[in-house]
Each structure stands twice: as structure tokens, then as C-alpha cells.
Amino acid sequence: MQAELQHDAQTYGEYYAAVDLGSNSFHMVIVHVVNGSVQIIGKIKQKVRLAAGLDEQLLLDDTSMERGWKCLQVFSERLQDIPPSNIKVVATATLRLATNAHVFVRKAEEILNHKLNVISGEEEARQIYLGVAYTSANQGNSLVIDIGGASTEIIIGNDMQPIHLKSLDMGCVTFMERYFQGGLITDENFDKAKKAAHTLISEVSNAFLCFDWENCLGASGTPQAITEILVAQGISDAIRLDYLYHLQKQCVECSSIDQLNIEGLEENRKAIFPSGLAILISLFEALDIKHMNISGGALREGLIYGMLDNVTDNDRRRQTLNQAKQRYHIDTAHAATVKQVALSLCYQLCGQQNICHLDTETILGAAAELHEIGLHIEYKRHHEHGAYILSYIDLPGFTRLQRSAIRELVSQHRLNVASDIFDNYHQDYRPMLKGLLRVLRIAVVLCLRRQNKHIPDVKLLCEEDKWTLTFPEGWLKSHPLINAELANECWLQHKAGCELVCV
């Protein structure tokens, strides 16, 4: 009987749920796990703004508690279909602070028919980091920041291991109530909020500044809202301090929450956006953050993957790529060959030009493995079909900026090159992406016959935009098909403003 149950679980999968009672929103995420593949099948989010109900004596008012209980009634029906052992319910900052939290917790547990754990700030930070690490596949040390409704978590970690973490009593709901009273948005209110945030951050900043980190990732909330604004405004970039200053200026020009109108800012984020922005600006300034990408997960994902430690593959990028190749019937052997050739050329490029950085190999490798994903639809325009697919499927383990770059490379890996393809990217990224596109296109041509024995050892010489490919003596003459395709590629790159010579 036990063996039959195990077989059924492997065949049909199991369902898991995580419920996060945050200070601003209550969240529930439900996943289906089959053979180690984790599929999100449901998400529910409701703005409860629990922290707005805390008074100066840290008593949580009845109105706020009623909002929370009403939300949990909605959650409870869905949880009835999931085994209790596969459910985790946690509450964070507001219920840590509220002196009458026990009143809310007791009724919440009755509604959910499940234990509710009010976790410490340190435990919240740890779970946030795990959620980010499982879904974002970071390289080297990473700084992770999560701005919640009543607390902000700051974590330094490496791979799956958090190294140093802090939870600070500042959040977008509490700061909105305290520094933007009446919904007024002024420079003076921003200055007060930022000064208060700086004071709290200064108590812990030295401990974080002594670490070297390669990545900074924002977990949901305000960073997510800002990323959506950048996307809506056609900006393909990470979050940078100059963008934040510009957004503050836009907020002040609107003068109040009621009149806040920023392209890409969702209606349900407006009330707490200025306060979250003030906190994020202070974090950038105090911790000397140059740029921040949005992570693939946060607290809820940390709770889910914590229950799946013995089930899932920790390498989210590899799992993502393998699943995509299987789902879209990609020729894995050919994809691996194109990747190998592209990376070989890339290493030569990076050795000659100072345009490469941490994302280079990640973006190029994924684009090479997925460049034929559009063949799932048809051949003639498969590069365009590939870009379409990559615009809509999830790629856990890759940041939004990485996903965007992978899509652009796939869309341009054959035929004509669009002259404006990278115009929306920050100038720091454009030379690298332009170089990676040229490398990928060359690799695709060299692997045309889809057999390793026909791929030569090629030397790449880069002199500004003039590239010279040197082949073994007599190789081009003995491979007239690839020679002809390379001649066509030289012409296509010439039309795009670059020079490619094959000798």
C-alpha cells in the first residue's frame, strides 16, 4: 500500500501551499510537484494593510483584524484540498509587534484550521533569502532586500546559505502612516522618511558594507513596482539610483496620493509607493548599491522550497533550461554544441574587449540552448516565434533583465539584424549584448551541419567593430556550404554596421 502511494505521488504529484500574512498584503501560493518539477498553479494576494491598524501603544484595531480574517476565509477554502503536512502559514512584522496579536492569531487558526507561526525578523530574513536563492540562481555573494509593510529585511548570502541578515522596523505601510500623513507627497515628507530610514540603516550598514557582493536583488514589493514602471516605460535595465531620484521627483510633482499618476504604477500600489521609494533610496545610498534586479521569489517561495528540500533540484537555471528543452522538443545535442562554440568565441571576445560582466556567460549560454525553441511552431520565422515564446513563459532562475536579453538574442540569431534591438538597454549593457549577438550568430552558422566533426577550431581577433575569424588552412574551401553561409553572415553584419572577415 505504501509503495502504491509513493508511486501515485511520483506519477500525479503532490500539492503544497504557503501562506504569508504580511503587514501590507496577505499572500497564498499553491504549487504542484511532479517528478521534481515545481509548477505554480495558484496565487492569491489581497491588500489587507494590517500594519495600518497599529496604534501608538502597538494595539491592533478591530477593523484591521476583521480585514485579515475576511481574507483568510477566502484562503481557507483552497487549503482544504491540500494535506496539512504540505501547508505552512506564517505571519511577520505586524503580528510580531502587536501586543494583542494573540487575539488575531487565535481566530485565524480557527478559520484556517491550521497552526499559524509568528516568525522572528531573523527567521523571516532567512526564509526570504532561501526563496530568492531557490528561484534566482545567484552567482557569488548576493545582497537581498525585501521592503515589507512594517519591516525591511537585508541579507547577504552565498548560493543557498545566508551569511548575515537583519530585520529593521521600517516598512512602506508604517512609513506612509508616519511621514506622508493625509496622502501628501512633498520633498519635506520624503526627506523626513529618508532621514528616519538612514538612521535605522546606519546601525547595521557597516556589517553589510564589509562584504563584497556581485548581485543585489530586490524581493517583490517596491522593487517589483519599480521594475514594472521601467518595463511600461520601455526601459530594459536594472533599478538604478538615478531612476529612483527621478521617480521621487515625479511623485512630488503629483503632490498627493490621489493624484499620483506614473506610467506603469498599478492602482493598488499607489498608496504605499512613495514611502517604499523613500526606504529604497535610503538603502541604495547607505549601502552603496549600484544596481538592483528583481528576484524570482521571496518569503512564500522560501517556505515552499523549504518543504521540498529532498524533492527539487537546487540548480534552478539548469532545471528551467532542461524543462524548456523537453517541453519544446529542442535538439539538446545540437543546442549543447552551439553553446560550446558560442562560449569559446565569447571567451576570446572577453579577453580582448572590456565589455563582459557577471551576466555574460549566463545570457549567452541560455540563448544558445534555447535558440531553436521557435521550431516548435515552424521553421521559416522560428527566430520570431522563439522570441514570442520567451516573452510569455516563466524562466525561474533568471532575472527579468536576463530573460529580456535572452529573448532579444534568440529573436536576432538569424536573418537580418534590427538596428535598434538594444536601444532600450542601459549603455553599460549595449556593447556586451551586441557582442553576444554577433558571437551567437557565428556559432549557429558554424554548427550548420549539426555534427561536431565539421566544426573547426576558430581564432577570433576583435579590433573595435571589425572582427576577423581565422580558420585552419584549407577549411573554408573544403566546406563550401558553410563558407557561403559565412559570406552571407558577413554581409548581414555589414548591413548592421559591423565588419566580419573570414580568412
Side-chain angles (χ1 to χ4, degrees), residues 114-329:
H114 199 279
K115 174 71 175 173
L116 191 165
N117 292 315
V118 180
I119 58 177
S120 68
E122 287 71 22
E123 176 61 15
E124 181 180 0
R126 190 180 74 84
Q127 292 290 346
I128 288 168
Y129 181 81
L130 291 178
V132 171
Y134 272 114
T135 56
S136 300
N138 306 318
Q139 296 175 328
N141 287 344
S142 296
L143 175 69
V144 173
I145 289 172
D146 188 308
I147 301 172
S151 69
T152 293
E153 281 66 47
I154 311 172
I155 313 104
I156 283 281
N158 187 289
D159 191 24
M160 301 303 299
Q161 185 62 46
I163 299 171
H164 185 69
L165 45 83
K166 284 292 181 181
S167 179
L168 303 179
D169 289 333
M170 61 179 184
C172 53
V173 175
T174 52
F175 267 43
M176 175 55 71
E177 299 287 332
R178 196 174 302 161
Y179 301 109
F180 296 86
Q181 294 178 351
L184 294 177
I185 309 174
T186 65
D187 281 323
E188 183 181 4
N189 288 347
F190 259 104
D191 289 343
K192 288 179 180 177
K194 289 192 291 185
K195 183 178 179 181
H198 268 286
T199 299
L200 291 169
I201 299 167
S202 66
E203 297 174 3
V204 302
S205 59
N206 286 340
F208 288 96
L209 289 169
C210 70
F211 285 95
D212 291 324
W213 66 79
E214 288 81 6
N215 306 287
C216 178
L217 293 168
S220 65
T222 300
Q224 177 67 49
I226 293 170
T227 298
E228 290 168 0
I229 291 171
L230 295 178
V231 170
Q233 296 182 5
I235 301 171
S236 296
D237 195 10
I239 300 170
R240 297 173 186 266
L241 190 55
D242 56 344
Y243 295 147
L244 302 184
Y245 288 147
H246 181 64
L247 285 172
Q248 177 182 331
K249 184 173 181 290
Q250 288 183 272
C251 287
V252 172
E253 288 173 351
C254 294
S255 74
S256 72
I257 298 296
D258 292 339
Q259 300 180 58
L260 191 56
N261 185 23
I262 297 175
E263 184 184 2
L265 178 60
E266 294 185 1
E267 188 68 32
N268 62 4
R269 291 291 312 177
K270 289 183 178 180
I272 54 171
F273 183 72
S275 51
L277 178 59
I279 292 171
L280 189 58
I281 289 173
S282 302
L283 288 162
F284 263 72
E285 292 173 342
L287 299 179
D288 194 26
I289 299 170
K290 304 303 181 187
H291 47 77
M292 169 189 284
N293 282 293
I294 190 72
S295 72
L299 176 58
R300 298 168 292 287
E301 288 75 16
L303 297 171
I304 287 287
Y305 285 102
M307 290 187 277
L308 305 181
D309 265 342
N310 296 322
V311 179
T312 59
D313 180 357
N314 287 352
D315 189 341
R316 299 297 293 145
R317 285 180 183 157
R318 178 46 43 203
Q319 186 184 69
T320 289
L321 293 173
N322 287 344
Q323 288 174 355
K325 286 188 289 186
Q326 181 179 10
R327 178 181 179 183
Y328 294 99
H329 312 295

Side-chain angles (χ1 to χ4, degrees), residues 166 379 410 472 489:
K166 284 292 181 181
Y379 170 76
V410 170
E489 179 61 23

